[in-house]
Amino acid sequence: MRTLTGVGVCAGRVIGELVSMPAPVAEPAAGLALRDEAPEDAVARLQEAAAEVKAELKRRAEAATEKDAADVLKSTALMAGDRALLKNAGKLITDRGLAPERALWEAASAYAEQMRALGGYMAERAADIEDVRARLVARLRGLPMPGIPERETPFVLTAEDLAPADTATLDPAKVLALVTSAGGPQSHTAILARNLGLPAIVAARGVEELADGTEVFVDGATGEVRTEPGAEERELVASWERAAAARSDFDGRGVLADGTEVPLYANVGTAEDARTAAAAGAQGVGLLRTEFCFLGRGEEPSVEEQVEQYTAIFAAFEEKKVVVRTLDAGADKPLPFLTDTAEPNPALGVRGYRTDRSVPGVLARQLEAIARADEATAAEVWVMAPMISAAEEARDFAAMAATAGLRVPGVMVETPSAAVTADQILRHVEFVSLGTNDLTQYTMAADRMLGSLAELNNPWQPAVLRMVRLTVEGARRAEAEGAGRRNVGVCGEAAADPALAVVLVGLGVHTLSMSPRALSPVAAVLRSVDLATARSLAELAVEQATAAEAAAAVRAELPVLAELGL
């Protein structure tokens, strides 16, 4: 038996045969020239191939059942028809006499390298460009499109990493689990796996060495892949299945064993998401991502358009709390009318609340729309600004919210500076919400998209947990100074880890927000501990030297995880 270990990103245990993604499309030979084809005919053939690939991706987007999957496919389809890319490739055909597949390869490769040089989100987009490059070259060669292998029986899919379009088109009925040798906890693979509830492991180095057809055991909670599974592994799978069948749905109340209330909210991005979360029993919305109104547009949506969208979401949670995050543009969400994609380091650039400095007015109009939607429904609307680093930013945002008529302003804690000055920030706003994805990235100085840094980019890092504790302590100081009740929530991916949820509560966090699928397991584990135990486990985690040791130490003290198959 051989055991490989990566980063588990979605719990679940399965046994199945390994099937690898097919080899990538080979690079056309350098200098490959036109043969018996006029340059204008070759350009026309390239344009036709691009139109066919774009149409196929759009068709898949329309057929996708998951919104995130549809959005990824739509984005990739747009890239397949990118005018600048096709124009540059066409120029290589006419000026240098290159065959269309070689011209496209060179043009796309240059584009991808430019994206990588920008870093952050733009570097991630390089993989999307290379995905489109492979699809177009395959079409020009008359080869099948790259993508998920087709098999009659379910299988465990393995790859170096999955392109967004590949991840978006996988069929959960056929793919038992995902295992990649690269990728990070916040990669497309990880995010979509969580949304689908598909067992998944990223950064499992060495998995590419396993031959197709190898039977493997996959544990998406511990991050383990074992070859030659035996009786022990089969019982682990069986226990997971029994626990999953017995696990009750979330009853709409997050509570510890001693009766301590820990409201469990959902992260949503659309009205459809909100209705799904409400049906799952979420006690409210802890993070409404408002980017859905803005992405994929060349201009700012009108106030009226925004009011309509927000009202539909608020209506799903009448009489319940809905925390709205204002536009988090920049870095991983560039917008042509708002952000500068030429920034050398977008993750540290003008993003989130900072965009109001460069393009004033967008935020004020969004707050107006949120306030109008608030008036139209009975939801309890809170509003928070992303990417806050200083108390004066919190003060100015609170003033903007008040001008719009919004009663409960707050901010995201995503930077170490916000964590260590939480007491000063909370003199101006009513609450803070910890975005553990970015907080981990900035605390550890590790790009959250890089699989090679997955070990650092882990919310179990003791340094990150100490940032959470500093934030809670800051809230308590603000309260002691007369600021009144100050709520500290978590809306990052960390809240969806049942064991880590216990630690967060032990550190003093009041509320947790997560994907709807995580509500039931998190609630079940929280019901098994009292507040004193949670505090003890939080201290245990903080005292460890590494993220792996912190997770292992806490998990060893929570036998309920094994009972529930988590």
Side-chain angles (χ1 to χ4, degrees):
M1 177 185 289
R2 181 180 178 187
T3 300
L4 304 176
T5 302
V7 178
V9 294
C10 189
R13 299 179 192 143
V14 299
I15 290 175
E17 289 191 358
L18 209 64
V19 175
S20 302
M21 286 286 288
V25 173
E27 177 180 353
L32 183 65
L34 289 169
R35 291 183 181 178
D36 304 321
E37 187 177 24
E40 57 270 23
D41 292 337
V43 171
R45 190 157 62 88
L46 172 61
Q47 296 283 356
E48 182 180 353
E52 290 172 352
V53 170
K54 181 177 181 179
E56 180 178 337
L57 289 168
K58 287 181 68 176
R59 177 183 58 77
R60 292 188 181 186
E62 292 168 357
T65 57
E66 290 283 334
K67 181 185 180 300
D68 286 346
D71 288 345
V72 167
L73 288 164
K74 288 176 184 176
S75 175
T76 308
L78 289 173
M79 197 172 294
D82 186 88
R83 292 181 180 179
L85 173 62
L86 296 175
K87 181 179 179 180
N88 289 341
K91 190 173 177 61
L92 291 175
I93 294 172
T94 56
D95 291 359
R96 291 174 48 191
L98 292 180
E101 56 264 43
R102 181 64 201 180
L104 186 283
W105 189 278
E106 291 191 12
S109 298
Y111 194 5
E113 286 308 310
Q114 291 172 12
M115 294 298 102
R116 284 201 173 87
L118 294 176
Y121 168 80
M122 302 310 290
E124 179 202 346
R125 300 299 290 176
D128 300 1
I129 296 165
E130 289 166 348
D131 175 39
V132 167
R133 179 185 69 186
R135 292 174 184 276
L136 288 173
V137 170
R139 178 71 66 175
L140 288 165
R141 288 175 169 172
L143 300 174
M145 286 292 98
I148 305 296
E150 293 186 2
R151 293 289 190 277
E152 290 298 321
T153 57
F155 57 92
V156 174
L157 179 64
T158 182
E160 179 180 352
D161 201 2
L162 295 180
D166 290 331
T167 310
T169 55
L170 65 84
D171 181 358
K174 288 293 181 68
V175 179
L176 296 171
L178 298 174
V179 183
T180 63
S181 58
Q186 306 308 322
S187 65
H188 285 294
T189 302
I191 293 170
L192 283 175
R194 293 187 191 103
N195 288 343
L196 293 171
L198 200 63
I201 300 171
V202 298
R205 296 173 185 171
V207 71
E208 69 279 2
E209 300 170 5
L210 302 180
D212 275 17
T214 301
E215 190 176 47
V216 295
F217 163 79
V218 176
D219 190 327
T222 64
E224 282 189 312
V225 178
R226 304 179 194 172
T227 63
E228 302 180 21
E232 177 186 352
E233 288 74 29
R234 297 184 193 284
E235 175 53 33
L236 286 171
V237 171
S239 67
W240 162 265
E241 293 173 347
R242 288 193 298 269
R247 195 181 302 142
S248 61
D249 292 333
F250 179 47
D251 64 4
R253 185 184 178 213
V255 63
L256 303 185
D258 58 8
T260 302
E261 298 281 347
V262 183
L264 301 183
Y265 302 135
N267 298 338
V268 306
T270 65
E272 180 183 352
D273 290 347
R275 289 188 288 270
T276 298
Q283 294 176 258
V285 173
L287 171 64
L288 168 55
R289 305 181 182 95
T290 57
E291 291 76 45
F292 75 98
C293 283
F294 296 80
L295 294 177
R297 302 177 61 115
E299 59 185 17
E300 176 190 353
S302 69
V303 171
E304 287 69 26
E305 287 179 276
Q306 294 184 59
V307 171
E308 182 180 357
Q309 297 281 357
Y310 303 147
T311 299
I313 293 173
F314 297 171
F317 284 93
E318 296 282 344
E319 309 292 342
K320 293 184 179 180
K321 184 166 77 174
V322 177
V323 182
V324 183
R325 182 181 69 188
T326 57
L327 181 59
D328 190 16
D332 61 341
K333 309 175 194 73
L335 292 174
F337 58 87
L338 190 60
T339 56
D340 179 8
T341 57
E343 287 180 343
N345 194 339
L348 298 179
V350 180
R351 58 170 296 200
Y353 175 72
R354 298 172 182 178
T355 59
D356 192 58
R357 301 175 184 173
S358 55
V359 187
V362 175
L363 177 56
R365 287 187 288 274
Q366 183 181 26
L367 290 172
E368 177 191 347
I370 294 169
R372 285 172 54 182
D374 181 16
E375 293 174 358
T377 69
E380 179 187 348
V381 176
W382 295 18
V383 63
M384 64 182 177
M387 201 61 181
I388 293 293
S389 297
E392 59 264 34
E393 293 176 332
R395 178 198 63 205
D396 294 345
F397 176 73
M400 292 183 71
T403 298
L406 293 162
R407 298 175 296 280
V408 189
V411 302
M412 295 282 291
V413 172
E414 300 164 286
T415 64
S417 64
V420 300
T421 61
D423 57 335
Q424 298 174 14
I425 286 173
L426 282 164
R427 292 170 188 164
H428 304 289
V429 295
E430 302 289 323
F431 71 97
V432 293
S433 185
L434 289 143
T436 52
N437 305 347
D438 271 324
L439 182 60
T440 302
Q441 172 176 241
Y442 293 132
T443 299
M444 304 306 297
D447 190 327
R448 71 188 199 186
M449 304 308 299
L450 293 181
S452 58
L453 300 179
E455 184 176 334
L456 288 175
N457 204 340
N458 186 328
W460 279 98
Q461 284 287 351
V464 177
L465 298 180
R466 293 185 185 208
M467 287 294 170
V468 176
R469 184 166 65 183
L470 284 172
T471 303
V472 172
E473 290 172 349
R476 291 171 179 164
R477 282 196 299 276
E479 291 175 351
E481 293 169 1
R485 169 74 172 180
R486 291 297 185 256
N487 185 273
V488 179
V490 170
C491 62
E493 290 292 331
D497 180 335
L500 190 48
V502 172
V503 171
L504 294 171
V505 171
L507 289 171
V509 167
H510 304 116
T511 62
L512 301 172
S513 190
M514 61 205 71
S515 66
R517 286 182 180 273
L519 290 168
S520 178
V522 168
V525 174
L526 290 179
R527 283 195 297 268
S528 74
V529 298
D530 56 22
L531 185 57
T533 300
R535 288 172 174 167
S536 175
L537 292 177
E539 192 60 32
L540 177 65
V542 169
E543 290 174 351
Q544 303 306 308
T546 69
E549 291 172 0
V554 171
R555 290 183 65 88
E557 298 298 320
L558 289 172
V560 67
L561 294 172
E563 295 170 12
L564 296 174
L566 301 171

